[in-house]
Amino acid sequence: MKLATLKDGSRDGQLVVVSRDLTLAHYATGIASRLQQVLDDWGFMSPQLQDLYDELNNGRARHAFPFDPAQCLAPLPRAYQWADGSAYLNHVELVRKARNAEVPESFYTDPLMYQGGSDDFIGPMDDVVVPSESMGIDFEAEIAVVTGDVRMGATPEQALDGIRLVMLVNDVSLRNLIPAELAKGFGFFQSKPATAFSPVAVTLDELGDAWRDGRVHLTLQSSWNGRKVGLCDAGDEMTFHFGQLVAHVAKTRNVRAGSLVGSGTVSNKGVEKNGRMEWPKGYSCIAEKRCIETIQDGQPSTEFMRYGDTIRIEMKGLDGRSLFGAIDQEIVAPGGRERAAAAAAESALKLQAAEAAQD
């Protein structure tokens, strides 16, 4: 089934069931009003939501209405935990190679992971508000899972059983803040602003044969300012599968229902062509593109994002339909759209005054 959270003026929104083709929705209020409630009592509530989902898809839901992704919060607008990994080691290898550094052997056996802010996620079509363009604004196209309860010390196989839902992610990064933060030895903080998630979260059965070995074997598409820059395979080159990532979180503590665990930037290896490495599947973040340019040409040439830039992240199923809906966002300054609207209104008034003076 597919679940979303609509804006209703509150922090946590209103849970809805969304049709498979993403055209219709139905409030789940007779069952649960918030997604966290469902995750806390999955065994009891999810079968009821599945029945509603089946009715919606079969045209029997009496109070269905058109689904509008622009009205969505993140499926979980705030969560108990957001832990993001770096499961695609090719991304790490490129970053290290660009600065002539070796990848430690431990990186291939023990996942990299950081704990991000989970108190203020943003919706799939909400603006990405950044204080300054000079911070090095970057998108990161990823996949994330939502867990039920997973006990401390769970094996990767046991952790897989605890996965309830899958979503897409835009894990925004402020690249020019990262070096100073990492130099402190305590990891990311201000360099990781609010994270965005896809309009809907889907259960594993919605992925069909594409979900196997704890990975999503589909193409993750990234379009920057309307130009497709990434068509990355999310499956085969994922070094650590989601069961391993969740088990990593659970090594020394219980993981509670409503925890989010991310894959990190989806990344694919390059191929040699005429004696030169090429990356035909593109990239899922600008930092990786800059690393590729450094490897190829000795220095990066692609700039980070500017105010007014847009990013669209989407994944289509084997039938060609959008699975999660799209993350589709614009980069803006604090109060940016309001200031732009006020400036346009002021300009219109001045034009009207000038025209009146001429009359």
Side-chain angles (χ1 to χ4, degrees):
M1 62 186 162
K2 299 189 176 186
L3 303 172
T5 297
L6 296 186
K7 298 175 180 178
D8 67 353
S10 70
R11 289 179 185 268
D12 297 306
Q14 188 70 42
L15 179 66
V16 296
V17 176
V18 182
S19 62
R20 183 169 285 112
D21 63 4
L22 304 179
T23 61
L24 296 173
H26 194 292
Y27 285 110
T29 44
I31 304 165
S33 58
R34 306 285 186 265
L35 180 53
Q36 184 61 50
Q37 293 173 285
V38 180
L39 294 164
D40 285 337
D41 198 2
W42 185 260
F44 179 69
M45 291 186 179
S46 64
Q48 299 177 64
L49 291 172
Q50 182 67 50
D51 288 344
L52 178 56
Y53 181 64
D54 292 340
E55 290 178 2
L56 187 59
N57 286 317
N58 292 327
R60 297 198 305 268
R62 294 178 57 190
H63 301 293
F65 55 89
F67 177 61
D68 182 4
Q71 296 304 312
C72 287
L73 297 167
L76 265 178
R78 50 182 174 165
Y80 287 115
Q81 180 166 216
W82 163 230
D84 197 18
S86 188
Y88 296 86
L89 263 293
N90 178 67
H91 177 72
V92 179
E93 291 168 349
L94 283 172
V95 171
R96 293 279 174 147
K97 186 174 182 180
R99 63 173 192 254
N100 295 314
E102 294 291 326
V103 179
E105 284 298 319
S106 63
F107 282 24
Y108 293 93
T109 57
D110 193 34
L112 291 170
M113 190 167 284
Y114 81 92
Q115 188 136 25
S118 61
D119 58 326
D120 186 31
F121 296 138
I122 55 177
M125 299 184 73
D126 290 348
D127 291 336
V128 178
V129 181
V130 181
S132 171
E133 290 181 334
S134 66
M135 292 179 173
I137 308 164
D138 198 357
F139 65 90
E140 288 193 55
E142 306 182 7
I143 303 168
V145 297
V146 187
T147 77
D149 288 331
V150 179
R151 65 171 179 78
M152 180 173 62
T155 66
E157 292 71 25
Q158 292 167 336
L160 277 177
D161 289 337
I163 293 173
R164 301 288 180 253
L165 299 163
V166 183
M167 306 182 291
L168 302 183
V169 188
N170 180 16
D171 183 42
V172 182
S173 291
L174 304 178
R175 299 294 181 184
N176 293 340
L177 301 186
I178 289 176
E181 287 202 318
L182 294 186
K184 295 178 180 180
F186 242 41
F188 304 118
F189 196 78
Q190 292 175 339
S191 53
K192 290 290 187 177
T195 306
F197 294 88
S198 52
V200 302
V202 311
T203 49
L204 301 181
D205 58 298
E206 291 293 321
L207 300 174
D209 293 339
W211 175 261
R212 58 184 187 274
D213 305 320
R215 300 171 174 88
V216 180
H217 291 264
L218 292 169
T219 299
L220 186 60
Q221 305 177 13
S222 302
S223 298
W224 178 14
N225 291 334
R227 185 172 68 89
K228 203 157 283 183
V229 296
L231 288 169
C232 295
D233 179 359
D236 291 339
E237 295 185 47
M238 187 180 187
T239 308
F240 300 102
H241 64 66
F242 277 111
Q244 291 170 301
L245 295 178
V246 174
H248 182 81
V249 180
K251 183 173 182 177
T252 60
R253 57 189 177 186
N254 294 317
V255 176
R256 292 308 185 189
S259 292
L260 278 59
V261 179
S263 67
T265 305
V266 176
S267 179
N268 294 153
K269 293 183 179 297
V271 296
E272 188 172 342
K273 186 176 180 181
N274 300 323
R276 177 183 169 91
M277 291 299 294
E278 302 286 347
W279 281 264
K281 295 180 181 178
Y283 53 92
S284 299
C285 71
I286 301 169
E288 185 163 305
K289 173 63 171 173
R290 288 168 59 87
C291 289
I292 290 169
E293 292 166 344
T294 300
I295 293 166
Q296 290 176 326
D297 307 317
Q299 61 182 10
S301 56
T302 299
E303 299 294 328
F304 290 116
M305 302 179 86
R306 302 289 187 185
Y307 294 146
D309 280 9
T310 60
I311 177 63
R312 181 182 176 91
I313 300 168
E314 190 170 19
M315 178 175 277
K316 295 181 178 180
L318 299 175
D319 60 0
R321 292 182 178 181
S322 182
L323 266 170
F324 305 89
I327 297 172
D328 199 346
Q329 299 180 287
E330 181 176 338
I331 309 298
V332 302
R337 290 205 183 196
E338 292 83 354
R339 284 207 301 266
E346 184 179 355
S347 178
L349 288 173
K350 287 180 179 178
L351 180 60
Q352 290 173 1
E355 290 173 346
Q358 288 177 355
D359 294 340

